[in-house]
């Protein structure tokens, strides 16, 4: 009886140790950081240390926004929103069009240069990311990253990041960390 109890304890300890060593933990650069849960858009995203969620004053196109408030010189913003359905074959076109439209909105009369356009997934759903370099004497040089996610046939969500060169890495990490609710 004692031997059986000892064997059971050893089996439990061994099983727990094996689970602990092989579990799939979140290894993303933003693991453990606070998250914005945007129920209107149907997405969630982590925010780096020193970033804060905007409490209001968003234009109707956006359902949540965060900004780097740390003063570290790595300025950046991320905004989320929702839209109607986008069929998978049109994701690239719509992501690139939305990126260009937002570049014009945030830096009127600026010059936009495509930097990247690639198919991706967010939470197992099809998505597309478009990156633009936007230049203008009044705006300086900004990088705009737009990820458009097809949630289902009737709705989509997006994450839009804006940053100067020094803040680009943080904005990229926020968008890459997005997940669906």
């Amino acid at each position: 009886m004692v031997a059986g109890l000892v064997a059971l304890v050893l089996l439990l300890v061994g099983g727990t140790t094996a689970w602990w060593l092989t579990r799939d933990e979140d290894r993303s650069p933003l693991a453990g950081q606070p998250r914005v849960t945007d129920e209107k858009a149907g997405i969630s995203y982590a925010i780096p240390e020193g970033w804060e969620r905007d409490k209001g004053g968003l234009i109707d196109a956006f359902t949540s926004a965060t900004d780097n408030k740390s003063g570290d010189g790595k300025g950046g913003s991320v905004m989320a929103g929702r839209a109607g359905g986008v069929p998978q074959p049109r994701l690239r076109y719509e992501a690139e069009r939305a990126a260009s439209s937002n570049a014009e909105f945030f830096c009127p009369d600026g010059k936009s240069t495509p930097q990247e356009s690639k198919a991706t997934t967010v939470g197992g759903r099809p998505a597309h990311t478009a990156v633009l370099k936007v230049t203008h004497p009044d705006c300086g040089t900004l990088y705009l990253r737009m990820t458009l996610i097809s949630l289902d046939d009737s709705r989509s969500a997006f994450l839009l990041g804006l940053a100067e060169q020094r803040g680009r890495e943080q904005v990229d990490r926020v968008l890459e960390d997005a997940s669906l609710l």
Side-chain angles (χ1 to χ4, degrees), residues 28-30 46-49 51 68 72-78 116 131 142-145 161-177:
S28 77
L30 296 175
I47 55 175
E49 189 174 329
W51 285 50
N68 184 345
D72 64 2
K74 297 178 183 177
S77 298
V78 171
E116 178 181 9
V131 179
L142 297 174
Y143 290 89
L144 183 146
R145 181 179 177 127
L162 287 167
E164 296 173 350
Q165 179 63 36
R166 292 188 62 208
R168 187 174 177 191
E169 183 178 316
Q170 286 185 329
V171 167
D172 289 349
R173 286 194 315 233
V174 171
L175 270 68
E176 290 167 359
D177 184 74

Side-chain angles (χ1 to χ4, degrees), residues 127-149:
H128 197 89
T129 297
V131 179
L132 301 176
K133 180 180 177 181
V134 184
T135 56
H136 188 278
D138 295 339
C139 300
T141 300
L142 297 174
Y143 290 89
L144 183 146
R145 181 179 177 127
M146 166 70 81
T147 297
L148 179 63
I149 309 147

Side-chain angles (χ1 to χ4, degrees), residues 2-37:
V2 172
L5 187 57
V6 169
L8 179 62
V9 168
L10 288 174
L11 181 63
L12 287 172
V13 169
T16 302
T17 301
W19 168 81
W20 180 261
L21 294 174
T22 61
R23 75 189 195 290
D24 184 25
E25 62 184 66
D26 186 358
R27 290 179 172 40
S28 77
L30 296 175
Q33 291 298 114
R35 296 189 72 79
V36 171
T37 300

Side-chain angles (χ1 to χ4, degrees), residues 55-74:
K55 302 295 186 213
L58 299 174
I59 63 172
D60 289 341
F62 303 115
T63 54
S64 65
T66 62
D67 294 301
N68 184 345
K69 307 281 189 190
S70 69
D72 64 2
K74 297 178 183 177

Side-chain angles (χ1 to χ4, degrees), residues 78-163:
V78 171
M79 293 146 278
R82 62 181 175 204
V86 177
Q88 188 171 353
R90 291 193 50 89
L91 275 173
R92 177 182 184 150
Y93 171 79
E94 294 297 336
E96 290 173 352
R97 186 186 64 75
S100 179
S101 175
N102 277 283
E104 178 65 26
F105 177 80
F106 286 104
C107 191
D109 299 321
K111 180 183 177 208
S112 298
T113 307
Q115 299 289 295
E116 178 181 9
S117 185
K118 67 178 181 176
T120 187
T121 60
V122 175
R125 297 293 305 161
H128 197 89
T129 297
V131 179
L132 301 176
K133 180 180 177 181
V134 184
T135 56
H136 188 278
D138 295 339
C139 300
T141 300
L142 297 174
Y143 290 89
L144 183 146
R145 181 179 177 127
M146 166 70 81
T147 297
L148 179 63
I149 309 147
S150 177
L151 299 175
D152 58 37
D153 291 341
S154 65
R155 61 194 179 106
S156 61
F158 65 85
L159 281 170
L160 171 69
L162 287 167

